[in-house]
Amino acid sequence: MATTVKGFAPFREFRTWYRVTGELGAGKPAVVVVHGGPGSTHDYLLRLTALAGQGWPVVHYDQLGNGGSTHLPGRDGGFWTVDLFLDELDNLLRAVGVADDYVLFGQSWGGMLAARHAAGRPAGLRGLVIANSPASYVLWRAEMAVLRGALPSDVDATLRAHETAGTTDSEEYYRAMRVFYDRHVCRIVPWPRDYLASFMETANDSTVYLTMNGPSEFHVTGTLKDWSVEDCLSEIAVPALVLSGRHDEATPVTVRPFAEKIPDVRWEIFEESSHVPHLEEPERFDAVLVDYLKALEGTP
């Protein structure tokens, strides 16, 4: 069984919680997992620790404001910025000791963050996996309108009534929201334990999510609503793997810029998945990811 070490990386006057599974420096690059949200936690991506059994150490962490990292419920949008989380990621790589040899796996918002990081061409970056991520929140918001239009009319009417009234924290809004989530976020019912853990952590302290995203995946009103990484994708200089689900809230329209603008890229679509194919189609997910990691090393 792979060893697990947990700790905290000092970051400014705060701290970032992390977990390392497997042995660092044993010959294979570390896979550093950047979770979604913004404002979620590492929990729903814990399945990736299985990579340690094949020699790739795995680093999970909770981004500032959530999970085991420092919570700052009093901070506003001027504090919660993309640059903050880019700096936190850089700091973590140095603190854990993997900055010279690592692969980034970014999921959802984490994929956008990872793409921006990769565009800076850090010397130690060996590869980039962008999973279930939009390249632009402008595209994302347009596609959310398309997906909402396919919901039952009474469900969308309920959602819009609460969004207009500012009562998105109500139980009725949550029940209507679940219709969308069960179609386009996680199609496994009941939700897997790891996914539910992250969902509950976000609900327990929604400061980051509400500030940067908004009240739900499909009602984006936060500071990221116009943010995009399309302008930097051509600067990514490592082989990239892009993943998405056929039923994903990250629709092909939102994902396509990655495939079109990253110079060395492969795009895999999971036919039976929505936003979390690592949980929805685990066997195929494992095969695709391991094949990519082996290709980075030039091994069959």
Side-chain angles (χ1 to χ4, degrees):
M1 181 179 293
T3 59
T4 299
V5 176
K6 301 176 183 179
F8 293 95
F11 173 57
R12 301 179 184 176
E13 64 268 43
F14 317 116
R15 60 183 194 171
T16 301
W17 178 94
Y18 68 83
R19 164 184 171 147
V20 178
T21 306
E23 186 178 352
L24 296 175
K28 293 188 177 185
V31 178
V32 179
V33 182
V34 187
H35 66 69
S40 186
T41 63
H42 77 286
D43 301 85
Y44 75 102
L45 291 162
L46 274 172
R47 250 201 100 259
L48 273 73
T49 57
L51 291 170
Q54 300 191 55
W56 288 282
V58 180
V59 179
H60 286 87
Y61 74 105
D62 287 335
Q63 294 162 24
L64 193 65
N66 291 89
S69 296
T70 305
H71 287 235
L72 296 156
R75 301 299 176 102
D76 61 15
F79 177 82
W80 302 110
T81 65
V82 172
D83 285 344
L84 171 75
F85 290 105
L86 287 171
D87 290 349
E88 182 187 32
L89 175 56
D90 286 340
N91 180 75
L92 176 82
L93 296 171
R94 293 190 298 269
V96 178
V98 299
D100 292 334
D101 193 24
Y102 64 102
V103 175
L104 275 188
F105 180 102
Q107 203 275 340
S108 197
W109 134 265
M112 299 181 76
L113 196 68
R116 183 66 76 180
H117 172 91
R121 300 192 176 187
L125 182 64
R126 306 293 176 237
L128 173 67
V129 183
I130 298 171
N132 315 97
S133 305
S136 158
Y137 274 94
V138 174
L139 293 175
W140 176 273
R141 287 189 289 115
E143 287 297 284
M144 290 303 102
V146 174
L147 295 179
R148 286 180 65 146
L151 295 174
S153 58
D154 60 322
V155 171
D156 197 37
T158 297
L159 293 170
R160 292 188 186 280
H162 284 287
E163 288 162 3
T164 300
T167 52
T168 54
D169 58 349
S170 70
E171 181 63 26
E172 187 178 46
Y173 186 83
Y174 171 77
R175 288 196 301 270
M177 182 184 76
R178 275 294 301 260
V179 177
F180 180 95
Y181 279 50
D182 289 345
R183 288 186 180 194
H184 300 298
V185 184
C186 182
R187 292 167 66 86
I188 304 170
V189 179
W191 284 347
R193 181 182 63 183
D194 290 349
Y195 178 81
L196 187 59
S198 283
F199 188 87
M200 295 306 296
E201 285 275 9
T202 305
N204 287 340
D205 184 350
S206 56
T207 302
V208 181
Y209 188 75
L210 287 175
T211 301
M212 298 184 77
N213 183 86
S216 69
E217 296 292 274
F218 47 81
H219 188 51
V220 179
T221 58
T223 57
L224 291 179
K225 65 185 179 68
D226 296 317
W227 186 54
S228 172
V229 295
E230 289 187 82
D231 62 333
C232 72
L233 298 179
S234 63
E235 298 301 314
I236 295 173
V238 295
L241 173 65
V242 174
L243 310 176
S244 64
R246 180 63 64 191
H247 309 281
D248 206 331
E249 59 179 349
T251 67
V253 171
T254 71
V255 175
R256 188 167 293 114
F258 293 118
E260 292 178 344
K261 297 184 179 184
I262 297 176
D264 183 357
V265 64
R266 165 185 162 199
W267 183 7
E268 291 281 346
I269 297 177
F270 291 76
E271 296 295 334
E272 303 302 321
S273 294
S274 58
H275 201 52
V276 285
H278 64 284
L279 299 175
E280 295 165 300
E281 292 182 69
E283 291 183 0
R284 181 167 177 240
F285 173 87
D286 291 349
V288 169
L289 185 55
V290 168
D291 178 66
Y292 166 76
L293 292 172
K294 286 182 176 180
L296 290 179
E297 301 177 327
T299 59

